[in-house]
Amino acid sequence: MPRMFKKLVLTLGAAVAMVAHAAEIEWMTDLEEAGKKAAQENKLLLVEFTGSDWCRYCILQKKNVLDKPAFAEWANKHCVAVEIDIPHDASRVGGEAKKEANKQICEDYAISSFPSLMLMTPERVLIGGYNGAQTTPQAAIAALEKHFPLAKELQTAMQQSGAERAVALNAIYSRLPEDIRKGNFRLMELIALDDPENLTGIQDTYRPIKQMRDLHAQLARTSGTEERLAILDAAYQKAAEQNKATIMRMKEIELNTAAHKLMRNPSSVEDIYKARDYFLLSAECSGTPGQKAKVEQYFAEPEKLYKEILKKRKK
């Protein structure tokens, strides 16, 4: 092969490789870090909620839309991309801890179906997007770009500060579609932080939701029954009125779960006594005196009950 022709082939090959690389999306997996990058680059967040190894339509959309150069070029121009994956095989995201964290993000944004492709501001405020799979890059781009005016409006509001920003953001929040408002705790939080005096009235909604979110996060870090019960009792004492029934129900479930676990495999008669106490407390939570009487009757002879369980276990 002549040297000049060979050089031309190599040059063309390098150019093709550069174009191919430029047309790929660099997917991040940490939403907060992606938000920082988006802020630095003055871009939006493009967030894909997916089940990469089991969701048929997620796989099809990746093939037909997300991996296409036309969509990648658009995404790279306007967005920092983030993949929030809930695969069956947790090793795809680095382990169970990351998979659970991604599940929590889905709950935070009220994502109930896959795939969902959403736009967010760098502050991780949900703007909009779509659920389900588009079949072409052009259709996906059109479905996302219609939310650009709201993104610009939010950007303008965010440039203000204090009460003025709270009022501006609240005006946007109040007219969002129900499905977007439902998944926009982050926007509600930004308004509340700027409005400690509750001029917008947002605190009446924000505080009860924040209480429950903090409670769930605290329980997620705790496994011991007694510690979890103490957390629930403390939360109940401080709870907004509309949260008290929910917390009491959570305590009832916690007590029943712990009691049944002890009864399945008691290591001593003390476990029978403890299970009885849990069931009695659960009956108090539910406010059913009849249930309390049934528990007392069933556990009338703890030692005998323990022997019966051991006997069944040996069979």
Side-chain angles (χ1 to χ4, degrees), residues 47-271:
V47 187
E48 181 200 18
F49 295 91
T50 180
S52 64
D53 63 353
W54 60 267
C55 171
R56 177 189 174 193
Y57 291 105
C58 300
I59 295 167
L60 285 173
Q61 179 167 253
K62 179 173 174 57
K63 176 183 177 182
N64 295 329
V65 176
L66 305 183
D67 286 348
K68 295 295 185 182
F71 185 82
E73 288 169 10
W74 176 88
N76 290 336
K77 179 180 179 181
H78 298 285
C79 307
V80 172
V82 189
E83 182 185 67
I84 305 299
D85 191 9
I86 316 292
H88 286 324
D89 179 6
S91 67
R92 294 174 69 96
V93 292
E96 286 294 338
K98 180 62 174 176
K99 181 178 175 180
E100 289 303 313
N102 284 352
K103 284 182 180 180
Q104 184 58 56
I105 294 172
C106 290
E107 291 181 18
D108 290 345
Y109 288 97
I111 300 298
S112 58
S113 63
F114 293 158
S116 289
L117 198 61
M118 295 293 168
L119 288 175
M120 299 182 192
T121 70
E123 297 80 18
R124 308 188 304 283
V125 170
L126 182 62
I127 299 169
Y130 65 85
N131 305 113
Q134 298 290 348
T135 57
T136 67
Q138 293 74 21
I141 290 168
L144 294 167
E145 281 191 344
K146 69 180 184 180
H147 299 288
F148 278 10
L150 177 59
K152 188 173 182 179
E153 191 176 353
L154 278 165
Q155 183 182 35
T156 300
M158 286 300 299
Q159 290 172 355
Q160 302 181 52
S161 61
E164 289 184 356
R165 181 164 63 182
V167 170
L169 290 175
N170 189 61
I172 297 172
Y173 177 78
S174 62
R175 58 182 170 77
L176 289 174
E178 176 61 28
D179 58 332
I180 300 299
R181 191 163 61 247
K182 183 180 178 182
N184 232 327
F185 176 80
R186 178 60 177 158
L187 178 54
M188 186 191 300
E189 183 174 50
L190 290 174
I191 298 167
L193 292 173
D194 276 341
D195 184 21
E197 300 300 322
N198 202 24
L199 299 174
T200 61
I202 199 76
Q203 298 287 356
D204 301 333
T205 303
Y206 169 74
R207 285 171 180 163
I209 295 175
K210 181 71 161 59
Q211 283 180 351
M212 294 306 297
R213 288 169 65 93
D214 288 347
L215 174 57
H216 283 294
Q218 194 174 5
L219 289 172
R221 298 190 294 268
T222 310
S223 57
T225 297
E226 295 300 328
E227 188 175 358
R228 290 172 68 84
L229 290 173
I231 290 170
L232 287 165
D233 284 338
Y236 183 85
Q237 295 301 318
K238 300 176 182 178
E241 195 62 37
Q242 58 264 53
N243 287 341
K244 287 189 173 182
T246 301
I247 294 173
M248 190 58 68
R249 176 61 179 155
M250 290 170 66
K251 182 179 178 181
E252 181 186 355
I253 293 170
E254 186 73 30
L255 287 162
N256 280 330
T257 301
H260 282 295
K261 184 177 180 180
L262 288 170
M263 291 299 291
R264 281 196 301 271
N265 190 28
S267 59
S268 67
V269 70
E270 282 73 21
D271 283 347

Side-chain angles (χ1 to χ4, degrees), residues 33-43 80 122:
E33 288 302 312
K36 294 176 183 177
K37 183 177 180 182
Q40 292 170 354
E41 299 179 4
N42 194 27
K43 293 180 178 180
V80 172

Side-chain angles (χ1 to χ4, degrees), residues 262-263 265-273 298-299 301-314:
L262 288 170
M263 291 299 291
N265 190 28
S267 59
S268 67
V269 70
E270 282 73 21
D271 283 347
I272 304 298
Y273 280 103
Y298 183 78
F299 286 91
E301 299 181 72
E303 289 82 1
K304 181 179 178 182
L305 182 57
Y306 176 59
K307 290 178 182 177
E308 289 175 355
I309 294 172
L310 290 181
K311 188 175 180 180
K312 288 180 182 178
R313 191 190 299 170
K314 291 178 181 179

